[in-house]
Amino acid sequence: MVVAGWLIQGADYVPGFLLQIGSTLVLIVPIALLERRLTGTEQNTEALGRELREVGEQLGRTAEQVQQLGRLSLEDGFSQRDAALREAESRPGQQSVARALREAQTIGAVSAKGVRVAPEGHPDSLRFRPVAGSREGLDVRVESPDGAKVSDWQAWRPGEHDRKVCRRLDAAARTAGLEPQRLAALPVSSLIALVRLAVSRHSGEGRDLGAVVQAATAEWVVSDEGLYGRQLPYRIPRQVLERELAPAELDTYRARNTPLADPAGLATAVACARAAYRAEQLGPGSDPGATTSVSTAH
């Protein structure tokens, strides 16, 4: 058709023919360049997509590994703490008690300033407070129930029989002005029972009780943060306990959605918490009179 047009029109056909060829090239060249650019972009996009999919798969595998490690770590930690508690229950020596107490302090289940329990045979006259130090150390002391007097800390050494510690605590109690006492044995069973309760609650078996200091009553537990209901979701902050409480203010904690089984026991628990905090403020050999007193519950 191009040749036929040339034969019919002659030489006058050439300029128009060249114009059409030029117009075609003007359209084809940019389209060809654009196509190459689009093809390159598509290839880059596909490559980036493959890389992103690989990164996503790697992140998924990494997240799964982190979760697995977290589960293993929690399980190992729980098993380690449970083993320490079982050992302390079956073989209540210095090493086992120190290990159980240290494991509980590490996770914040018990107070780093010690756990307060009543020695056997002295429920109304004395309190025993141990603190797990660094490595294998275990420091112990005795306190008056109201927290006004405390003895110096005594080191319970690894392998040392508890009767020797009891004799040193008796002497330290006399020096501190406590009533003459004679400890027959350290209250290890009561201590480990309280530590087990604190660890189990801190590990998710029931409501967390905070950093436990002492079991106040059947319904209340003393923690660093305040009083916690052992079964019911009650909590009285420590800053409330450490100041004078109006009767109406204390009444707000007697019953909420579920009433207390022993409403009168709340006053006992408040007094117990204040005594534990008062004793906590007294360092070894300090003067009880130099410490700011905390009012007793009414």
Side-chain angles (χ1 to χ4, degrees):
M1 293 178 69
V2 172
V3 172
W6 196 340
L7 293 176
I8 294 172
Q9 193 171 354
D12 294 337
Y13 181 76
V14 174
F17 176 66
L18 294 176
L19 178 62
Q20 293 181 11
I21 292 176
S23 300
T24 302
L25 292 175
V26 168
L27 294 175
I28 290 177
V29 172
I31 291 175
L33 294 175
L34 181 60
E35 181 183 7
R36 291 184 61 185
R37 178 63 62 85
L38 290 175
T39 301
T41 302
E42 183 179 2
Q43 293 174 351
N44 293 335
T45 302
E46 292 177 354
L48 180 60
R50 288 193 298 270
E51 293 177 357
L52 290 175
R53 285 193 296 272
E54 293 176 357
V55 171
E57 293 173 358
Q58 181 64 36
L59 288 175
R61 290 192 295 269
T62 302
E64 184 177 355
Q65 292 173 355
V66 170
Q67 291 178 355
Q68 184 177 3
L69 289 174
R71 289 192 298 269
L72 291 175
S73 178
L74 289 174
E75 292 173 359
D76 290 344
F78 180 80
S79 300
Q80 182 176 345
R81 290 187 292 273
D82 186 64
L85 287 168
R86 284 189 281 105
E87 182 181 5
E89 290 168 342
S90 60
R91 292 181 295 178
Q94 192 274 355
Q95 290 93 333
S96 61
V97 173
R99 180 188 172 196
L101 195 57
R102 189 177 299 106
E103 291 285 346
Q105 287 180 192
T106 300
I107 63 172
V110 299
S111 174
K113 297 181 179 180
V115 181
R116 201 168 184 251
V117 294
E120 298 177 4
H122 303 277
D124 301 323
S125 59
L126 211 61
R127 294 295 180 267
F128 172 75
R129 186 192 294 257
V131 175
S134 59
R135 297 182 180 179
E136 298 181 354
L138 186 61
D139 296 328
V140 297
R141 78 179 184 188
V142 288
E143 306 170 355
S144 61
D146 62 359
K149 297 179 181 180
V150 302
S151 73
D152 288 339
W153 291 102
Q154 304 295 317
W156 186 5
R157 304 178 185 89
E160 185 179 23
H161 199 281
D162 62 346
R163 290 183 181 177
K164 292 184 178 180
V165 182
C166 288
R167 287 195 291 268
R168 292 207 308 273
L169 287 174
D170 288 341
R174 290 191 295 270
T175 302
L178 295 167
E179 295 181 6
Q181 307 293 337
R182 186 172 181 82
L183 294 177
L186 300 179
V188 174
S189 58
S190 301
L191 171 67
I192 298 302
L194 183 58
V195 173
R196 178 174 286 281
L197 171 67
V199 169
S200 64
R201 293 299 185 87
H202 192 78
S203 301
E205 297 182 12
R207 183 172 181 267
D208 192 359
L209 299 175
V212 172
V213 177
Q214 181 178 353
T217 66
E219 285 192 285
W220 296 96
V221 174
V222 182
S223 292
D224 279 345
E225 300 82 9
L227 272 174
Y228 280 79
R230 189 178 297 206
Q231 300 297 334
L232 301 177
Y234 296 150
R235 176 175 177 268
I236 306 178
R238 179 168 178 169
Q239 58 268 27
V240 173
L241 299 172
E242 290 185 322
R243 59 182 173 82
E244 185 68 30
L245 284 176
E249 189 173 6
L250 187 59
D251 286 340
T252 61
Y253 296 97
R254 292 184 184 276
R256 293 181 184 174
N257 296 329
T258 306
L260 293 173
D262 181 19
L266 177 56
T268 302
V270 170
C272 181
R274 288 172 167 174
Y277 298 149
R278 181 188 296 115
E280 177 185 290
Q281 298 168 10
L282 298 179
S286 60
D287 181 10
T291 303
T292 303
S293 61
V294 183
S295 61
T296 58
H298 297 289

